[in-house]
Amino acid sequence: MDLIADHTVLAVVVGSRAYGLDTAESDTDRRGVYAAPAALFWRLDKPPTHLDGPLPEQFSWEIERFLTLALGCNPTVLECLWSPIVERITPIGTELLALRHAFLSQRARQTFLEYAGAQFKRLNPESPKWKQAMHMIRLLISGRHLVRHGEPLVHMGEHRDRLLAVRRGEVAWSELRAWRDELTADLGASAGVLPEHPDRAAVEEFLVAARKSTL
């Protein structure tokens, strides 16, 4: 059984191409969600929670794992739900996208700050990896937009030129640090529009229906 080919419900492009930050050298990063047939869970050996491939830079989650990560406001997973490039979608995938606001909660502020903070700690001011620095800033911009407007900002649009300047190493470390500090402060202080908790009941109802549809 090919879980990716036969049971993918949503497949999107993420990374630089979805962010509008791609260059001629950019890879195409793909992420997907597959709904393993319910009967596979009746066995001792359960279906995998995630799979790599088959294309380069492709990674997919089994639907229950994806929902769990989304309820925890995992930035990577949330941005899949708002990717502007959808390559494959089924009726279950359509329902998943319609449900995407149910995953959001005030926890997103913490997760975006933590992810960006971890990336910043890995940067060496003496010889920073500028692509990593660019994505650290991009993540903070996305998180700030999410807290303020109720959805992550995936396509960078108006921020493209400045972010690509970071990637090319044309921004001084002091300027990068100041930009990072400003975004971190904004993300941490903004009152925001997100609910305190996600709508876990709606997500669970969706999962049960998705499982039943595979019987």
Side-chain angles (χ1 to χ4, degrees):
M1 178 181 297
D2 191 328
L3 291 172
I4 302 301
D6 300 333
H7 298 286
T8 291
V9 300
L10 178 67
V12 302
V13 173
V14 294
S16 294
R17 297 193 184 279
Y19 305 147
L21 300 172
D22 52 302
T23 65
E25 295 78 30
S26 295
D27 295 325
T28 299
D29 299 303
R30 292 180 167 89
R31 298 293 179 268
V33 182
Y34 59 93
L40 294 182
F41 291 90
W42 303 339
R43 303 175 180 177
L44 292 175
D45 294 325
K46 308 303 180 187
T49 59
H50 59 270
L51 290 168
D52 286 304
L55 296 174
E57 309 301 329
Q58 182 177 5
F59 182 92
S60 299
W61 296 272
E62 206 283 320
I63 194 167
E64 184 173 344
R65 177 60 175 162
F66 183 87
L67 299 181
T68 300
L69 291 171
L71 283 168
C73 289
N74 178 292
T76 303
V77 168
L78 288 184
E79 288 180 348
C80 290
L81 294 171
W82 271 271
S83 171
I85 308 174
V86 177
E87 293 191 320
R88 179 179 176 185
I89 190 167
T90 69
I92 293 177
T94 299
E95 292 178 25
L96 175 58
L97 292 187
L99 189 68
R100 59 191 181 182
H101 286 94
F103 298 103
L104 301 179
S105 71
Q106 293 177 19
R107 178 174 169 77
R109 185 197 313 273
Q110 176 185 348
T111 58
F112 275 76
L113 283 172
E114 287 177 350
Y115 272 60
Q119 291 181 349
F120 182 73
K121 288 178 181 178
R122 291 196 295 269
L123 291 172
N124 179 357
E126 301 301 321
S127 57
K129 296 181 178 178
W130 291 110
K131 181 178 179 181
Q132 182 178 326
M134 177 190 73
H135 284 298
M136 179 266 297
I137 294 291
R138 181 206 61 78
L139 190 63
L140 288 170
I141 292 173
S142 179
R144 182 178 65 177
H145 193 274
L146 171 59
V147 169
R148 289 179 173 179
H149 303 287
E151 59 182 41
L153 184 65
V154 178
H155 195 280
M156 288 292 108
E158 64 184 281
H159 306 286
R160 172 182 165 86
D161 290 344
R162 193 178 180 192
L163 285 168
L164 289 180
V166 171
R167 179 173 179 165
R168 293 190 298 267
E170 297 171 358
V171 175
W173 176 260
S174 59
E175 181 182 343
L176 176 77
R177 177 65 184 261
W179 193 7
R180 176 258 180 188
D181 290 347
E182 175 191 350
L183 290 168
T184 298
D186 286 349
L187 180 51
S190 176
V193 299
L194 298 178
E196 183 176 359
H197 302 291
D199 191 344
R200 187 178 178 88
V203 174
E204 186 168 67
E205 182 179 353
F206 164 77
L207 176 60
V208 171
R211 289 278 187 248
K212 288 180 177 179
S213 73
T214 67
L215 291 173

PDB file of all heavy atoms in Angstrom, residues 143-164:
ATOM      1  N   GLY A 143       4.722  35.093  12.788  1.00  0.00           N
ATOM      2  CA  GLY A 143       4.091  34.961  14.092  1.00  0.00           C
ATOM      3  C   GLY A 143       3.425  36.241  14.556  1.00  0.00           C
ATOM      4  O   GLY A 143       2.328  36.211  15.140  1.00  0.00           O
ATOM      5  N   ARG A 144       4.064  37.369  14.307  1.00  0.00           N
ATOM      6  CA  ARG A 144       3.462  38.657  14.680  1.00  0.00           C
ATOM      7  C   ARG A 144       2.136  38.853  13.945  1.00  0.00           C
ATOM      8  O   ARG A 144       1.142  39.292  14.535  1.00  0.00           O
ATOM      9  CB  ARG A 144       4.420  39.800  14.378  1.00  0.00           C
ATOM     10  CG  ARG A 144       3.878  41.166  14.787  1.00  0.00           C
ATOM     11  CD  ARG A 144       4.876  42.276  14.513  1.00  0.00           C
ATOM     12  NE  ARG A 144       5.150  42.452  13.086  1.00  0.00           N
ATOM     13  CZ  ARG A 144       5.958  43.401  12.592  1.00  0.00           C
ATOM     14  NH1 ARG A 144       6.580  44.234  13.409  1.00  0.00           N
ATOM     15  NH2 ARG A 144       6.153  43.504  11.295  1.00  0.00           N
ATOM     16  N   HIS A 145       2.126  38.532  12.661  1.00  0.00           N
ATOM     17  CA  HIS A 145       0.895  38.668  11.880  1.00  0.00           C
ATOM     18  C   HIS A 145      -0.189  37.727  12.406  1.00  0.00           C
ATOM     19  O   HIS A 145      -1.376  38.090  12.464  1.00  0.00           O
ATOM     20  CB  HIS A 145       1.199  38.366  10.409  1.00  0.00           C
ATOM     21  CG  HIS A 145       0.109  38.767   9.472  1.00  0.00           C
ATOM     22  ND1 HIS A 145      -0.968  37.943   9.182  1.00  0.00           N
ATOM     23  CD2 HIS A 145      -0.098  39.899   8.744  1.00  0.00           C
ATOM     24  CE1 HIS A 145      -1.761  38.541   8.321  1.00  0.00           C
ATOM     25  NE2 HIS A 145      -1.267  39.724   8.049  1.00  0.00           N
ATOM     26  N   LEU A 146       0.216  36.512  12.789  1.00  0.00           N
ATOM     27  CA  LEU A 146      -0.739  35.549  13.320  1.00  0.00           C
ATOM     28  C   LEU A 146      -1.392  36.067  14.594  1.00  0.00           C
ATOM     29  O   LEU A 146      -2.622  36.008  14.752  1.00  0.00           O
ATOM     30  CB  LEU A 146      -0.025  34.217  13.591  1.00  0.00           C
ATOM     31  CG  LEU A 146      -0.807  33.144  14.352  1.00  0.00           C
ATOM     32  CD1 LEU A 146      -2.087  32.784  13.611  1.00  0.00           C
ATOM     33  CD2 LEU A 146       0.053  31.912  14.560  1.00  0.00           C
ATOM     34  N   VAL A 147      -0.593  36.576  15.504  1.00  0.00           N
ATOM     35  CA  VAL A 147      -1.136  37.070  16.764  1.00  0.00           C
ATOM     36  C   VAL A 147      -2.042  38.281  16.542  1.00  0.00           C
ATOM     37  O   VAL A 147      -3.096  38.411  17.171  1.00  0.00           O
ATOM     38  CB  VAL A 147       0.016  37.416  17.731  1.00  0.00           C
ATOM     39  CG1 VAL A 147      -0.505  38.173  18.951  1.00  0.00           C
ATOM     40  CG2 VAL A 147       0.739  36.145  18.165  1.00  0.00           C
ATOM     41  N   ARG A 148      -1.652  39.143  15.616  1.00  0.00           N
ATOM     42  CA  ARG A 148      -2.424  40.374  15.398  1.00  0.00           C
ATOM     43  C   ARG A 148      -3.669  40.170  14.550  1.00  0.00           C
ATOM     44  O   ARG A 148      -4.684  40.850  14.744  1.00  0.00           O
ATOM     45  CB  ARG A 148      -1.533  41.421  14.717  1.00  0.00           C
ATOM     46  CG  ARG A 148      -0.448  41.994  15.613  1.00  0.00           C
ATOM     47  CD  ARG A 148       0.393  43.010  14.849  1.00  0.00           C
ATOM     48  NE  ARG A 148       1.351  43.705  15.714  1.00  0.00           N
ATOM     49  CZ  ARG A 148       2.210  44.616  15.287  1.00  0.00           C
ATOM     50  NH1 ARG A 148       2.235  44.963  14.001  1.00  0.00           N
ATOM     51  NH2 ARG A 148       3.044  45.191  16.125  1.00  0.00           N
ATOM     52  N   HIS A 149      -3.585  39.250  13.580  1.00  0.00           N
ATOM     53  CA  HIS A 149      -4.663  39.148  12.580  1.00  0.00           C
ATOM     54  C   HIS A 149      -5.341  37.780  12.511  1.00  0.00           C
ATOM     55  O   HIS A 149      -6.288  37.610  11.753  1.00  0.00           O
ATOM     56  CB  HIS A 149      -4.114  39.502  11.198  1.00  0.00           C
ATOM     57  CG  HIS A 149      -3.502  40.865  11.127  1.00  0.00           C
ATOM     58  ND1 HIS A 149      -4.245  42.024  11.140  1.00  0.00           N
ATOM     59  CD2 HIS A 149      -2.190  41.256  11.072  1.00  0.00           C
ATOM     60  CE1 HIS A 149      -3.433  43.071  11.068  1.00  0.00           C
ATOM     61  NE2 HIS A 149      -2.187  42.636  11.033  1.00  0.00           N
ATOM     62  N   GLY A 150      -4.854  36.804  13.272  1.00  0.00           N
ATOM     63  CA  GLY A 150      -5.531  35.515  13.319  1.00  0.00           C
ATOM     64  C   GLY A 150      -5.147  34.541  12.236  1.00  0.00           C
ATOM     65  O   GLY A 150      -5.832  33.531  12.056  1.00  0.00           O
ATOM     66  N   GLU A 151      -4.051  34.803  11.542  1.00  0.00           N
ATOM     67  CA  GLU A 151      -3.520  33.830  10.596  1.00  0.00           C
ATOM     68  C   GLU A 151      -2.051  34.157  10.319  1.00  0.00           C
ATOM     69  O   GLU A 151      -1.653  35.322  10.344  1.00  0.00           O
ATOM     70  CB  GLU A 151      -4.307  33.807   9.287  1.00  0.00           C
ATOM     71  CG  GLU A 151      -4.360  35.098   8.537  1.00  0.00           C
ATOM     72  CD  GLU A 151      -5.206  34.992   7.261  1.00  0.00           C
ATOM     73  OE1 GLU A 151      -6.267  34.349   7.323  1.00  0.00           O
ATOM     74  OE2 GLU A 151      -4.800  35.567   6.238  1.00  0.00           O
ATOM     75  N   PRO A 152      -1.229  33.125  10.100  1.00  0.00           N
ATOM     76  CA  PRO A 152       0.188  33.388   9.843  1.00  0.00           C
ATOM     77  C   PRO A 152       0.375  34.054   8.487  1.00  0.00           C
ATOM     78  O   PRO A 152      -0.420  33.852   7.564  1.00  0.00           O
ATOM     79  CB  PRO A 152       0.826  31.993   9.872  1.00  0.00           C
ATOM     80  CG  PRO A 152      -0.294  31.071   9.489  1.00  0.00           C
ATOM     81  CD  PRO A 152      -1.533  31.684  10.058  1.00  0.00           C
ATOM     82  N   LEU A 153       1.414  34.857   8.375  1.00  0.00           N
ATOM     83  CA  LEU A 153       1.755  35.475   7.099  1.00  0.00           C
ATOM     84  C   LEU A 153       2.767  34.563   6.417  1.00  0.00           C
ATOM     85  O   LEU A 153       3.910  34.462   6.848  1.00  0.00           O
ATOM     86  CB  LEU A 153       2.355  36.866   7.316  1.00  0.00           C
ATOM     87  CG  LEU A 153       2.674  37.652   6.049  1.00  0.00           C
ATOM     88  CD1 LEU A 153       1.399  37.974   5.280  1.00  0.00           C
ATOM     89  CD2 LEU A 153       3.427  38.935   6.390  1.00  0.00           C
ATOM     90  N   VAL A 154       2.326  33.874   5.371  1.00  0.00           N
ATOM     91  CA  VAL A 154       3.210  32.930   4.689  1.00  0.00           C
ATOM     92  C   VAL A 154       3.990  33.639   3.579  1.00  0.00           C
ATOM     93  O   VAL A 154       5.219  33.665   3.577  1.00  0.00           O
ATOM     94  CB  VAL A 154       2.412  31.732   4.143  1.00  0.00           C
ATOM     95  CG1 VAL A 154       3.341  30.778   3.391  1.00  0.00           C
ATOM     96  CG2 VAL A 154       1.730  30.982   5.295  1.00  0.00           C
ATOM     97  N   HIS A 155       3.274  34.217   2.618  1.00  0.00           N
ATOM     98  CA  HIS A 155       3.956  34.920   1.525  1.00  0.00           C
ATOM     99  C   HIS A 155       4.428  36.274   2.037  1.00  0.00           C
ATOM    100  O   HIS A 155       3.649  37.087   2.535  1.00  0.00           O
ATOM    101  CB  HIS A 155       3.011  35.097   0.340  1.00  0.00           C
ATOM    102  CG  HIS A 155       3.707  35.484  -0.929  1.00  0.00           C
ATOM    103  ND1 HIS A 155       4.092  36.781  -1.189  1.00  0.00           N
ATOM    104  CD2 HIS A 155       4.123  34.740  -1.989  1.00  0.00           C
ATOM    105  CE1 HIS A 155       4.700  36.822  -2.361  1.00  0.00           C
ATOM    106  NE2 HIS A 155       4.734  35.601  -2.868  1.00  0.00           N
ATOM    107  N   MET A 156       5.722  36.532   1.910  1.00  0.00           N
ATOM    108  CA  MET A 156       6.336  37.698   2.532  1.00  0.00           C
ATOM    109  C   MET A 156       6.118  39.005   1.788  1.00  0.00           C
ATOM    110  O   MET A 156       6.299  40.074   2.359  1.00  0.00           O
ATOM    111  CB  MET A 156       7.828  37.455   2.743  1.00  0.00           C
ATOM    112  CG  MET A 156       8.134  36.471   3.855  1.00  0.00           C
ATOM    113  SD  MET A 156       7.725  37.105   5.527  1.00  0.00           S
ATOM    114  CE  MET A 156       6.263  36.120   5.923  1.00  0.00           C
ATOM    115  N   GLY A 157       5.793  38.957   0.518  1.00  0.00           N
ATOM    116  CA  GLY A 157       5.391  40.151  -0.215  1.00  0.00           C
ATOM    117  C   GLY A 157       6.237  41.376   0.055  1.00  0.00           C
ATOM    118  O   GLY A 157       7.361  41.499  -0.425  1.00  0.00           O
ATOM    119  N   GLU A 158       5.704  42.304   0.844  1.00  0.00           N
ATOM    120  CA  GLU A 158       6.353  43.596   1.080  1.00  0.00           C
ATOM    121  C   GLU A 158       7.698  43.455   1.799  1.00  0.00           C
ATOM    122  O   GLU A 158       8.515  44.388   1.778  1.00  0.00           O
ATOM    123  CB  GLU A 158       5.435  44.492   1.903  1.00  0.00           C
ATOM    124  CG  GLU A 158       5.151  43.969   3.312  1.00  0.00           C
ATOM    125  CD  GLU A 158       4.174  44.827   4.071  1.00  0.00           C
ATOM    126  OE1 GLU A 158       4.607  45.883   4.591  1.00  0.00           O
ATOM    127  OE2 GLU A 158       2.989  44.455   4.141  1.00  0.00           O
ATOM    128  N   HIS A 159       7.953  42.323   2.448  1.00  0.00           N
ATOM    129  CA  HIS A 159       9.206  42.133   3.177  1.00  0.00           C
ATOM    130  C   HIS A 159      10.269  41.445   2.327  1.00  0.00           C
ATOM    131  O   HIS A 159      11.402  41.264   2.795  1.00  0.00           O
ATOM    132  CB  HIS A 159       8.959  41.296   4.433  1.00  0.00           C
ATOM    133  CG  HIS A 159       7.888  41.833   5.329  1.00  0.00           C
ATOM    134  ND1 HIS A 159       8.071  42.942   6.121  1.00  0.00           N
ATOM    135  CD2 HIS A 159       6.608  41.411   5.540  1.00  0.00           C
ATOM    136  CE1 HIS A 159       6.958  43.179   6.803  1.00  0.00           C
ATOM    137  NE2 HIS A 159       6.058  42.268   6.463  1.00  0.00           N
ATOM    138  N   ARG A 160       9.919  41.058   1.105  1.00  0.00           N
ATOM    139  CA  ARG A 160      10.816  40.239   0.279  1.00  0.00           C
ATOM    140  C   ARG A 160      12.199  40.872   0.091  1.00  0.00           C
ATOM    141  O   ARG A 160      13.222  40.212   0.325  1.00  0.00           O
ATOM    142  CB  ARG A 160      10.168  39.985  -1.086  1.00  0.00           C
ATOM    143  CG  ARG A 160      11.102  39.308  -2.089  1.00  0.00           C
ATOM    144  CD  ARG A 160      10.420  39.120  -3.447  1.00  0.00           C
ATOM    145  NE  ARG A 160      11.404  38.812  -4.474  1.00  0.00           N
ATOM    146  CZ  ARG A 160      11.849  37.585  -4.751  1.00  0.00           C
ATOM    147  NH1 ARG A 160      11.404  36.555  -4.061  1.00  0.00           N
ATOM    148  NH2 ARG A 160      12.740  37.389  -5.699  1.00  0.00           N
ATOM    149  N   ASP A 161      12.252  42.118  -0.329  1.00  0.00           N
ATOM    150  CA  ASP A 161      13.542  42.730  -0.666  1.00  0.00           C
ATOM    151  C   ASP A 161      14.477  42.768   0.542  1.00  0.00           C
ATOM    152  O   ASP A 161      15.668  42.441   0.440  1.00  0.00           O
ATOM    153  CB  ASP A 161      13.336  44.136  -1.222  1.00  0.00           C
ATOM    154  CG  ASP A 161      12.694  44.127  -2.599  1.00  0.00           C
ATOM    155  OD1 ASP A 161      12.688  43.053  -3.245  1.00  0.00           O
ATOM    156  OD2 ASP A 161      12.186  45.177  -3.021  1.00  0.00           O
ATOM    157  N   ARG A 162      13.940  43.161   1.677  1.00  0.00           N
ATOM    158  CA  ARG A 162      14.790  43.263   2.866  1.00  0.00           C
ATOM    159  C   ARG A 162      15.228  41.887   3.350  1.00  0.00           C
ATOM    160  O   ARG A 162      16.378  41.698   3.778  1.00  0.00           O
ATOM    161  CB  ARG A 162      14.043  44.009   3.979  1.00  0.00           C
ATOM    162  CG  ARG A 162      14.944  44.423   5.128  1.00  0.00           C
ATOM    163  CD  ARG A 162      14.175  45.210   6.176  1.00  0.00           C
ATOM    164  NE  ARG A 162      15.051  45.611   7.284  1.00  0.00           N
ATOM    165  CZ  ARG A 162      14.602  46.109   8.426  1.00  0.00           C
ATOM    166  NH1 ARG A 162      13.296  46.305   8.586  1.00  0.00           N
ATOM    167  NH2 ARG A 162      15.448  46.431   9.400  1.00  0.00           N
ATOM    168  N   LEU A 163      14.334  40.899   3.265  1.00  0.00           N
ATOM    169  CA  LEU A 163      14.689  39.547   3.688  1.00  0.00           C
ATOM    170  C   LEU A 163      15.745  38.939   2.766  1.00  0.00           C
ATOM    171  O   LEU A 163      16.684  38.275   3.236  1.00  0.00           O
ATOM    172  CB  LEU A 163      13.443  38.663   3.715  1.00  0.00           C
ATOM    173  CG  LEU A 163      12.500  38.907   4.896  1.00  0.00           C
ATOM    174  CD1 LEU A 163      11.171  38.192   4.673  1.00  0.00           C
ATOM    175  CD2 LEU A 163      13.132  38.447   6.210  1.00  0.00           C
ATOM    176  N   LEU A 164      15.612  39.173   1.476  1.00  0.00           N
ATOM    177  CA  LEU A 164      16.617  38.644   0.556  1.00  0.00           C
ATOM    178  C   LEU A 164      17.958  39.346   0.741  1.00  0.00           C
ATOM    179  O   LEU A 164      19.018  38.747   0.524  1.00  0.00           O
ATOM    180  CB  LEU A 164      16.129  38.766  -0.888  1.00  0.00           C
ATOM    181  CG  LEU A 164      14.991  37.806  -1.275  1.00  0.00           C
ATOM    182  CD1 LEU A 164      14.588  38.013  -2.729  1.00  0.00           C
ATOM    183  CD2 LEU A 164      15.387  36.346  -1.046  1.00  0.00           C
TER     184      LEU A 164
END
